[in-house]
Structure formats: C-alpha cells, structure tokens
Amino acid sequence: EENFAATIGRQECVSCNSGTDALYLALRALEIGSGDEVITPPFTFAATAEAIAMTGAKPVFVDINATTFNLDVEKIEAAITPQTKAILPVHLFGQPVKMTEVMRIAKKHHLFVIEDCAQATGATWHNQQVGSWGDVGCFSFFPTKNLGACGDGGALVTNNASIAQAARMLANHGQRE
C-alpha cells in the first residue's frame, strides 16, 4: 500500500479485493448514497455504474468524446443538478480524461471527484498520475488490466486520511484493526 500510494503520488492507499470494491468503498467513504447523483460516462465496464447503484445513488450518464472514448468534459456541467455529489471520470484504454477541466468543474460546483483508473495505471495527465487528481483514485488489478494480478485485486488512493480510514473500516466490517 505504501509503495503504490507513493507511485501514484498520494499519501494513503487502501487495498481491496477488486476495482469494483475500490469504487464502492470510495463512494461510501465520501458518504454518497440514496438520493445522490454521480456523473459518469456510459462507455465503461458495468462496475462503474454498478458501484454507484450499490450505494443507492443514481448514475447520471454523460456522453463520451468520440475521439478519446472518455467522458466529454464539455457536457458535464449541463448534467449537474442539486442532487449531484460527485463526478466519476473513467480513464479508458490508458488514455487520461482531461482532468484539469474536470477539477475546475468540480471545484466550481463543490463536487467530489472519484477517478476510475482501472484501465490506466501509470497514465498521466500534464505529468501527473491518474488517480492523483481527484479526492480518490480507484484501481483494478484484474488479470486483463494493464497492471494485472494473478486473480483479482484493487486499491484506492487518496491524500485524505479520513477517507482512507473510512474505506478501511468499511472494507473490514467496521473494525479499525
């Protein structure tokens, strides 16, 4: 965990059994749930929307850019409502989302950013690792990913110790140790 956090440029890393769980734990640690909305692209693996739905929140799909297949950042603001709590961009095929623009929009509207980095470990946007831009970065180590394990695995990274502690407790049945 320490080595992975350092590699991504974050202070905290919480390992878990899958990228899906990393997304779910991040959403729960940020207290996103019933009645909330999370903006994400429809062109991704089902786990992205599934993790949002498992919290009781609603995935709000914003179309992709036809060139990059990533979230079209120019369409995000039109989808924001009073129920929107987060933006969950997906860095697809090793290509990073335009994170400077995502972060500008998130700051303007006081939204969390949870990066789905399952297919982009090691990718950078403006010389900064994906997963280090938002409040939380989520990774998958499924064997088909660019950093795959022998089996499944996942991790979330953050610079917020409270988010990391909440994620660890959620992953460990509410226990601190």
Side-chain angles (χ1 to χ4, degrees), residues 120-134:
T121 305
T124 60
W125 176 255
H126 293 289
N127 297 315
Q128 186 174 329
Q129 292 279 327
V130 297
S132 69
W133 285 87

Side-chain angles (χ1 to χ4, degrees), residues 130-143:
V130 297
S132 69
W133 285 87
D135 297 282
V136 183
C138 298
F139 296 83
S140 171
F141 307 125
F142 190 76

Side-chain angles (χ1 to χ4, degrees), residues 5-167:
T7 297
I8 302 302
R10 299 277 88 172
Q11 296 172 357
E12 302 279 345
C13 175
V14 178
S15 59
C16 52
N17 70 334
S18 68
T20 305
D21 275 0
L23 290 167
Y24 177 73
L25 291 170
L27 290 157
R28 289 283 315 275
L30 293 170
E31 298 181 354
I32 293 172
S34 183
D36 297 333
E37 295 178 352
V38 178
I39 292 172
T40 198
F43 190 72
T44 180
F45 185 64
T48 308
E50 177 186 23
I52 295 166
M54 286 190 313
T55 70
K58 175 184 174 185
V60 174
F61 295 117
V62 169
D63 206 0
I64 60 169
N65 175 294
T67 303
T68 66
F69 300 101
N70 282 334
L71 183 64
D72 188 337
V73 296
E74 294 178 13
K75 296 178 180 175
I76 294 172
E77 285 192 279
I80 295 172
T81 72
Q83 290 73 41
T84 306
K85 297 294 185 249
I87 303 169
L88 202 164
V90 179
H91 305 288
L92 203 55
F93 308 129
Q95 298 184 99
V97 175
K98 296 177 180 178
M99 289 307 296
T100 45
E101 185 63 12
V102 170
M103 296 308 294
R104 183 194 68 74
I105 293 166
K107 183 177 180 179
K108 177 180 174 182
H109 295 278
H110 309 286
L111 302 173
F112 293 116
V113 175
I114 304 155
E115 296 175 73
D116 183 334
C117 309
Q119 293 192 21
T121 305
T124 60
W125 176 255
H126 293 289
N127 297 315
Q128 186 174 329
Q129 292 279 327
V130 297
S132 69
W133 285 87
D135 297 282
V136 183
C138 298
F139 296 83
S140 171
F141 307 125
F142 190 76
T144 61
K145 304 302 185 206
N146 62 335
L147 180 59
C150 294
D152 210 344
L156 66 86
V157 296
T158 183
N159 272 348
N160 186 314
S162 296
I163 293 171
Q165 180 182 18

